[in-house]
Amino acid sequence: MSETEVAPPGVDPTIPSPARLYDYYLGGTHNFRVDRDMADKLQAATHGDLKDAVLANRGFHVRAAAWMARHGIRQFLDIGSGLPTQNNTHQTVQAVDPATRVVYVDNDPMVGAYANMLLAGDGTTALVIADLRDPDALLASPRLREILDLGRPVGVMMTAVLHFVADDAGPWDLVSRYMAAVAPGSYLALSHGTADKMDPSAIRTGEDLYARSTSNVYFRSREQVERFFAGLELQPPRQGTRPAVSYAGLWGAEDPSAADTDGSRAIYCGLGRRP
Ligand SMILES: C[S@@+](CC[C@H](N)C(=O)[O-])C[C@H]1O[C@@H](n2cnc3c(N)ncnc32)[C@H](O)[C@@H]1O
């Protein structure tokens, strides 16, 4: 996006936002100078691991969506979906079955401004601008109800979004409420930033910089990420492994030794089935 371009209505181009930062990390153009400046500082503070982490996270998102589609899931709720990118969720899952339905949810007005680029345009997809911290309002959305039948299994995706939700907003309870609202046989694909393996000074820089964006970031431990899967049947990250939360690069990796990079260890992920 050029400097002279006017921000869409409701978008403040002077404060970085997680959706625009992520777009820039992924090589997109729906971002402003403030986003690129902050992202470049973070990239320098992490010695390049940030970009690696983002690519590993997006790789997990796409592989988990494809896995659920191959396992018969025909409707998806992608919460904290982000801006349009390559391999949007509906493109990934509709490659398995073109009739698959996808509802995207995000609270950033920039995502709303680019909704047309995100959607399939054939009635199988919709975008709801809503805050995941209000599950009753989100789940009651008429657009969501038009597209999804919550009485049948849903692939709920909450990738790289819950680290923008503070403990006092009850992220574990929120996840439980979404999973209680969907039918048995539904899945949860979740990824989350962690400081467990990262340089503490890079983590502090990340927390300080995000505090000046539209959302703070809250890194969580492996044990805290595992708690998101309470009551669900965690799936093995790869064939021949035990069910577990894993690093993002490793989940579904064809070549685990190549995928297990330093940056990918900044993101935990897992896939759980609602029994
Ligand atoms: C880092 S991006 C992740 C995009 C995508 N899920 C992925 O993993 O590739 C996080 C997204 O979550 C959105 N987000 C953050 N807090 C949110 C909230 N409380 N409700 C809805 N969306 C939120 C941001 O606007 C951003 O688009």
Side-chain angles (χ1 to χ4, degrees), residues 18-19 22 26 57-58 61 78-83 105-108 111 130-133 158-161 163-165 191 215:
Y22 192 73
L26 285 175
N57 176 70
R58 190 68 201 172
H61 180 101
D78 184 353
I79 304 177
S81 55
L83 281 152
V105 178
D106 206 286
N107 69 345
D108 190 316
V111 180
D131 193 313
L132 74 87
R133 290 169 294 186
M158 300 182 85
T159 56
V161 62
H163 49 233
F164 298 114
V165 177
S191 62
S215 176

